[in-house]
């Protein structure tokens, strides 16, 4: 009873991003559409602050940087949710990059931003002052052979002189049914790729939390601490944060539901929301967010 009262009455305020379409005729659409939201599990409340189709979000120098993947832009907003700057990610002469930018991180070591593109399996490097494109890291060349992202790199984070990136397929064959997903380290001085965590199903949200590496095995519904499973959920999990007491894990409506239906005794939850998890006791509360289909990323703000 005491533990129940504790988790019911304690929750941080969160920011979360959603990539939903606004057109209800499209498969990835929702009543509220995509945007930037605030939420609190204890209060059982959420509210949209900014419209947009947003994916990974980070905080840097008191501002928030988020990927708007349809417009192929980086949007920067302040703590009052006012957009103060937009940067176009189409910086080639042809300006014909595919609209599949997904992950963003900042490296204090290189003083650069890194943006991952799922359609080209490339990570673009940008100058911190004006977001000028400096270089690209090629994670795989297979997208050039088959005209679309074959590894499906998605979310990224920085760790010292390295980047950590999650992906659907290390072999680059996920569109052909090979889901050998995982997390790899990319050394920023040499671009050398080291595989860290393997055997994951459509993973997202690699994060350094309390000095440790965590990732969500989205399709298989697990939270990993390094290579160890530490908790299992009931749906497609994506978006991960920690407030020194609880983990916050986003859950989206599962676009791949047919692969799971009737496969075993485990129940699959279909609606979107946020889990507040006490990982030591492996207990959680859930904030249902029925007007949104996809949650991509979560940050703790207070």
């Amino acid at each position: 009873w005491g533990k129940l009262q504790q988790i019911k009455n304690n929750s941080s305020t969160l920011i979360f991003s959603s990539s939903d379409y606004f057109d209800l005729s499209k498969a990835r659409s929702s009543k509220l559409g995509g945007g930037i939201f605030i939420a609190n599990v204890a209060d059982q409340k959420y509210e949209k602050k900014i419209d947009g189709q947003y994916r990974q979000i980070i905080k840097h120098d008191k501002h928030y940087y988020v990927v708007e993947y349809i417009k192929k832009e980086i949007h920067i907003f302040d703590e009052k949710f006012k957009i103060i700057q937009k940067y176009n990610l189409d910086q080639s002469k042809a300006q014909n990059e595919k609209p599949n930018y997904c992950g963003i991180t900042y490296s204090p070591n290189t003083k650069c931003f890194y943006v991952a593109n799922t359609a080209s399996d490339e990570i673009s490097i940008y100058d911190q002052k004006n977001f000028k494109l400096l270089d690209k890291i090629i994670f795989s060349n297979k997208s050039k052979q088959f005209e679309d992202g074959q590894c499906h790199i998605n979310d990224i984070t920085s760790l010292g002189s390295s980047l950590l990136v999650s992906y659907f397929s290390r072999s680059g064959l996920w569109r052909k049914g090979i889901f050998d997903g995982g997390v790899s380290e990319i050394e920023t001085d040499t671009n050398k790729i080291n595989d860290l965590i393997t055997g994951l199903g459509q993973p997202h949200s690699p994060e350094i939390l309390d000095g440790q590496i965590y990732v969500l095995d989205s399709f298989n519904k697990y939270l990993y601490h390094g290579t160890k499973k530490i908790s299992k959920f009931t749906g497609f999990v994506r978006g991960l944060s920690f407030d020194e007491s609880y983990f916050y894990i986003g859950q989206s409506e599962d676009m791949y539901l047919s692969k799971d239906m009737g496969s075993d005794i485990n129940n699959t939850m279909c609606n979107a929301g946020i889990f507040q998890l006490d990982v030591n006791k492996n207990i959680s509360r859930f904030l249902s967010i029925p007007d949104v289909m996809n949650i991509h990323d979560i940050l703790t703000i207070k």
Side-chain angles (χ1 to χ4, degrees), residues 2-12 14 41-42 209 223 240-249 275-285 298 300:
K3 203 64 184 170
L4 174 62
Q5 301 312 305
Q6 187 179 43
I7 196 170
K8 282 179 67 174
N9 296 316
N10 292 278
S11 176
S12 292
L14 311 170
V41 180
L209 304 173
L223 169 63
L240 174 63
S241 186
F242 182 59
D243 69 358
E244 309 300 329
S245 296
Y246 299 104
F247 286 85
Y248 298 91
I249 294 95
F275 289 95
Q276 177 188 353
L277 170 70
D278 181 334
V279 75
N280 295 314
K281 301 293 184 181
N282 209 16
I283 60 173
S284 65
R285 297 195 78 225
I298 299 175
T300 302

Side-chain angles (χ1 to χ4, degrees), residues 6-8 60 66 83 129 145 166 172 185 190 194 221 226 228-229 233 258 283 289 291:
Q6 187 179 43
I7 196 170
K8 282 179 67 174
H60 173 64
V66 62
I83 294 178
K129 294 181 180 179
Q145 300 175 37
S166 53
E185 173 195 31
T190 64
N194 306 307
K221 310 176 181 67
K228 181 182 179 181
K229 299 173 185 175
F233 299 89
S258 61
I283 60 173
I289 306 177
D291 296 325

Side-chain angles (χ1 to χ4, degrees), residues 73-219:
E73 296 174 339
I74 296 295
H75 290 184
I76 305 172
F77 61 93
D78 61 20
E79 293 178 346
K80 295 182 178 180
F81 299 97
K82 178 183 178 181
I83 294 178
I84 58 175
Q85 185 64 268
K86 298 179 181 180
Y87 288 110
N88 191 342
L89 291 171
D90 284 349
Q91 296 190 18
S92 68
K93 290 183 179 180
Q95 294 190 346
N96 60 356
E97 286 83 354
K98 296 178 181 180
N100 270 295
Y101 293 98
C102 185
I104 180 172
T105 192
Y106 175 79
S107 171
N109 188 67
T110 63
K111 295 182 172 55
C112 292
F113 288 94
Y114 296 81
V115 181
N117 190 317
T118 64
S120 63
D121 291 327
E122 298 173 335
I123 298 172
S124 299
I125 307 171
Y126 293 93
D127 178 82
Q128 69 169 341
K129 294 181 180 179
N130 55 14
F131 246 81
K132 179 182 178 182
L133 180 62
L134 301 176
D135 202 356
K136 290 188 177 183
I137 299 170
I138 309 300
F139 189 81
S140 171
N141 283 314
K142 285 196 174 179
S143 63
K144 295 178 174 58
Q145 300 175 37
F146 299 105
E147 299 182 353
D148 210 341
Q150 301 296 307
C151 293
H152 199 287
I153 62 171
N154 44 58
D155 298 325
I156 54 177
T157 193
S158 61
L159 175 63
S161 61
S162 297
L163 307 174
L164 302 182
V165 59
S166 53
Y167 48 82
F168 283 9
S169 175
R170 186 67 180 92
S171 63
L173 295 169
W174 82 274
R175 293 184 182 276
K176 296 166 181 60
I178 307 300
F179 285 89
D180 51 338
V183 176
S184 290
E185 173 195 31
I186 302 174
E187 299 175 15
T188 55
D189 55 345
T190 64
N191 291 352
K192 180 183 177 183
I193 300 175
N194 306 307
D195 298 336
L196 301 180
I197 308 173
T198 60
L200 306 185
Q202 302 174 9
H204 291 83
S205 310
E207 296 286 352
I208 309 301
L209 304 173
D210 200 25
Q212 300 290 300
I213 297 173
Y214 293 85
V215 67
L216 291 169
D217 185 1
S218 301
F219 179 75

